[in-house]
Structure formats: structure tokens, C-alpha cells
Amino acid sequence: MKFAVIGLGVEGRKAVKSLRRRGYEVYATDINTNLNLEGLEDIEVDLGFHDLEKIRACDAVILSPSLYSSPLKEKIEDKLLCKILEDHKKPYTIGVTGTNGKTTTALMITKILENWGKKVLVGGNAGGGFQGYTELILKASEKKYDIIVVEICDMTLDFADQCFNLNLIILTNIGRDHMNHHKTIKNYKKSLRRFIEGKKVLLNKEDPLSLQLKNPNSILYSAYNGKLKLFGKFNKLNAGAAAEAARLLGAPESIINSTLGDFEAPKGRIKNYKFNDANIIIGKIDNPSAMKTILQETDFDIIFLGTPRKNEDWRFETLQEIGKKPPKILVLFPGLEDTVNISLEHAKNLPSKVLTAKDTNEIIKLLKSLSRKYKRILIGGNGQKKIIKIQEGIEKMVRQ
């Protein structure tokens, strides 16, 4: 069987990996002529154009979610993987979307349902740490599941609406992220309103923007008030969403409570460590809304911040949020890209002492030193792989 993959962004590359891992032949194409083709050496790739003859010669097509509203989709619609394979449309399906908290909420729901004895498939949005939508669809065709939990990126709403039969949607919150795609919060809300129309949806009772989407099919959820290991009220809200979804499916309250009480944050998400009497909070805090939420929890003496990509201007607004509750020391390090110099410019009016660290080793050394004097430390920003590497370094320090 031969597959065509159109679009080699994060989702497209994950799709290629999923297909090659199963031994399928792959032809890939992207309109961008400047792509790094590392990891794609063993497949045929065309850049700068889409060869429809080659695409239609394939047995199935995986189209980038960003192209689901484009004219190209109409030309290859009968070949789309979502239409060739349809097993992923049969189980009860929960879609988890929103600006922040999607992965944690999706994994909480999954764990509750598994402990209840259900066969659950979880996956979706490749940017969230999962293996991508293609992997989810392929797995659903290989094994039977009772329930599917799919994390849906706010940039892939149209794709998910057409590709999955969503029985329940959880909207965690609405904030400023992916503004290169949405342009404005108004546009983002418009896309969400279209996405949830006619569907049962859980809305965050404490998020004013989400409440603006309330309709007859909405159910409001509150923060979970049971035992929880995770830091922050935002995680209590994530747990509240997971608990409410599980209740709607009939899960016993005892299983919901025991599961959430034992739940551990996944890698890269917000975790709390104690070292040298300092409290270190670290996790994926990669947009202004996420930073605002975390700073509402407590003040920090030191903030380490991974820098965003050069073209993602809205992410630099994270420094504006930090400016509202400035730490004594701000440490900037390369995150998704080395834009430390740009970040320094954005931070020049902060009253904080601003330092830089070039890599993980420098960050760990600074932590060892600064944690002897300062007690409240936050590490976040962009660059999930680096955040995970720093987490691993902290865990090693704590064990020593």
C-alpha cells in the first residue's frame, strides 16, 4: 500500500514516521522549497509543488490539517485517509481542545476510563507530545477500542470536525496562542463556535471567553476539589473537566477520585520539585495566557524563560506578562530558536536583573547556585524538548 503525505509540517512528518514504521511506501510533497529533509531520506519527496498525478496514484492521502479548507482537498477527497479508514469514527469519541491544558486533561480522562476497565485510545495533535492524528487513525484500524480521546490543536479544528465523529468536546480555555493562524481572539472564537455547533461541549466555568460560547448543548465544569498532586488551580480545572467527562460516561466517583489523586504530570508539563529548600516549578508555559495563569498562583524570585521562534511575535508578549509581576532575576535561554537577543530587547524595561544561559548545562549550574539563596523558581517558556531535558537534570539533582 502506498500513501501520499501532503504537507511536511509537524503533523506531516509524524505521519511519515507512522507509515514507515508499518512498512508502507510513502510519497511526500510540500509547497515550501526550503524544508529541512532530515529524517525523510528514504522516501520520495517533491518540494515547491504538488504533483496531483503522483498523489492520485497512491492508495490513500494524508492531507495537512492546515489544508482542509483549501481547494486542493476537493481534488483528492475520495483518497483521504479519513475516508479510506473509518474505524476511528466508530467508538465514543472525546475531543479535547483549547489554548492550554489539553494534554494533561486528555491523559487524566484516559487514565480514569482505563481504571474503570475501558479500552481507551488516546492521541492526536502532534504538537502536544502525541504521535499525530495519522497514528491515532492507524491504531484505531488495527485494534478495537471502547473510547477514543483525541487532543485537538486549536489550528486543526476544521480537520478534526471532518475527520472524527465527536460525541463530546472539552474546551479547556481560550487564550493568546497561534496568533499567526487566528490573527485575533475574535477569529479564534468564531472557529470554535463553528466547531462546537450541535455538539455536547464542556465549558470552563471560570474562563470568561469560553462562557461566551455557551449554547443549549453546553455543560459547565468547575475546579476539582479532591486530592491532587499537581501544582496550580489550572490543573484543578483540568481535573474538573476530566472528572465531569468521566461522570457523563457513568464512571464511578470512587475511580474518578482515586485516579486523579494518583495522577502524575506527563513529561514537559508543569511539575514541582524541592531542591536546596527552593521550590522549583517547571513546565510548558509557552504563550502569554499560560504565563499569566501561572503568575496568578504565586510570585517568583527567579524566572527561567525559553525563547520562541523569531516569527511568532505574540509569544514575546510573555515578557509583558512577566513585567506585571517581575522576578528579582530573569534568565533567558534559547527555546524553539535562539532569539535571546530579541527577548533581551523586549525585557530591557523590566526591573529584574536579566541573565542569559546558552544551554541546559548552564541552566542546571545556575539552579544549583541560585537555589541556595532564592526559594521560588519558575522554569518555562518555549522549547518542550529543552524543558524536558531540564526536568531530567533537576530530577538527577534531587536524587543525588
Side-chain angles (χ1 to χ4, degrees):
M1 196 169 183
K2 186 172 182 179
F3 289 79
V5 176
I6 306 176
L8 288 168
V10 176
E11 286 292 339
R13 286 173 180 267
K14 290 279 188 178
V16 171
K17 286 184 180 179
S18 292
L19 295 167
R20 296 298 292 135
R21 192 160 53 241
R22 290 168 170 82
Y24 293 124
E25 187 179 353
V26 178
Y27 162 68
T29 175
D30 196 294
I31 207 72
N32 186 350
T33 57
N34 296 315
L35 282 183
N36 180 353
L37 296 181
E38 184 180 355
L40 302 173
E41 294 86 358
D42 63 341
I43 67 169
E44 181 185 2
V45 179
D46 281 333
L47 297 181
F49 64 97
H50 301 309
D51 189 324
L52 280 174
E53 188 175 332
K54 286 183 183 178
I55 291 167
R56 289 203 58 80
C58 294
D59 299 292
V61 178
I62 293 150
L63 181 66
S64 168
S66 65
L67 297 173
Y68 256 67
S69 298
S70 71
L72 177 61
K73 175 177 173 284
E74 296 177 10
K75 297 176 182 178
I76 45 88
E77 192 150 12
D78 61 316
K79 293 271 188 174
L80 290 175
L81 182 67
C82 277
K83 299 203 171 186
I84 301 293
L85 301 178
E86 294 197 311
D87 290 312
H88 64 287
K89 296 180 180 179
K90 297 173 184 176
Y92 188 96
T93 302
I94 302 171
V96 184
T97 193
T99 301
N100 298 306
K102 297 184 293 295
T103 303
T104 299
T105 303
L107 292 174
M108 283 176 166
I109 296 167
T110 300
K111 199 65 179 173
I112 292 169
L113 297 176
E114 286 177 341
N115 287 344
W116 186 28
K118 302 297 181 183
K119 293 179 181 177
V120 186
L121 173 61
V122 61
N125 170 34
F130 293 113
Q131 295 179 35
Y133 296 111
T134 298
E135 180 70 16
L136 191 74
I137 293 166
L138 292 172
K139 279 185 175 178
S141 72
E142 295 163 351
K143 186 178 175 182
K144 291 192 179 299
Y145 294 91
D146 301 314
I147 297 164
I148 292 178
V149 179
V150 52
E151 178 181 318
I152 300 169
C153 174
D154 54 281
M155 296 188 293
T156 63
L157 298 174
D158 289 338
F159 160 82
D161 194 27
Q162 295 176 54
C163 193
F164 296 95
N165 286 334
L166 297 163
N167 302 96
L168 176 66
I169 293 170
I170 295 172
L171 176 60
T172 57
N173 44 60
I174 297 174
R176 285 185 60 75
D177 198 2
H178 301 133
M179 287 295 114
N180 58 336
H181 176 80
H182 300 299
K183 308 303 180 188
T184 66
I185 288 290
K186 183 179 179 181
N187 287 342
Y188 179 22
K189 286 194 298 179
K190 185 177 179 182
S191 296
L192 280 167
R193 187 172 280 110
R194 185 172 64 245
F195 177 63
I196 68 174
E197 185 178 2
K199 302 182 185 76
K200 186 181 290 186
V201 57
L202 294 181
L203 297 179
N204 182 344
K205 193 176 184 178
E206 299 191 25
D207 183 44
L209 291 175
S210 294
L211 292 178
Q212 292 175 14
L213 301 181
K214 188 177 176 183
N215 63 37
N217 297 309
S218 303
I219 300 168
L220 305 186
Y221 69 86
S222 304
Y224 179 69
N225 59 11
K227 176 189 169 188
L228 199 65
K229 292 180 180 180
L230 307 188
F231 171 83
K233 186 174 181 182
F234 52 90
N235 271 321
K236 291 181 180 179
L237 284 162
N238 294 335
E244 190 60 35
R247 289 187 195 107
L248 288 173
L249 287 170
E253 204 68 27
S254 58
I255 290 177
I256 293 171
N257 292 334
S258 63
T259 301
L260 292 175
D262 291 336
F263 186 84
E264 300 278 355
K267 279 188 176 183
R269 275 22 183 208
I270 294 173
K271 293 190 176 186
N272 193 353
Y273 298 94
K274 293 281 187 181
F275 183 73
N276 282 342
D277 294 327
N279 193 33
I280 302 173
I281 307 294
I282 175 171
K284 185 172 177 276
I285 310 163
D286 60 356
N287 60 67
S289 297
M291 182 58 71
K292 180 179 180 179
T293 299
I294 201 91
L295 292 179
Q296 288 172 345
E297 299 285 342
T298 185
D299 295 333
F300 290 94
D301 301 312
I302 304 171
I303 296 178
F304 289 76
L305 190 73
T307 60
R309 295 185 183 93
K310 187 181 296 185
N311 64 339
E312 295 181 335
D313 294 341
W314 80 93
R315 293 196 193 274
F316 290 99
E317 293 174 20
T318 301
L319 287 157
Q320 294 177 22
E321 291 299 332
I322 290 173
K324 296 173 185 177
K325 294 184 75 175
K328 294 181 176 69
I329 299 173
L330 173 66
V331 183
L332 299 171
F333 65 91
L336 290 171
E337 286 182 7
D338 187 354
T339 53
V340 169
N341 286 339
I342 298 173
S343 297
L344 284 169
E345 187 65 23
H346 282 271
K348 67 182 180 182
N349 293 323
L350 295 182
S352 311
K353 180 180 180 181
V354 182
L355 306 175
T356 62
K358 69 176 184 291
D359 55 31
T360 305
N361 290 333
E362 276 196 18
I363 291 169
I364 296 299
K365 285 179 183 177
L366 278 170
L367 277 174
K368 286 180 178 178
S369 171
L370 295 172
S371 61
R372 295 188 180 97
K373 181 178 178 182
Y374 299 98
K375 303 306 178 189
R376 296 166 300 178
I377 301 173
L378 176 66
I379 305 170
N382 292 267
Q384 183 170 294
K385 288 182 180 178
K386 289 194 177 179
I387 296 292
I388 291 173
K389 194 172 179 182
I390 297 166
Q391 276 185 346
E392 291 170 348
I394 293 171
E395 288 170 2
K396 186 177 180 181
M397 284 195 312
V398 171
R399 288 195 301 267
Q400 288 175 345

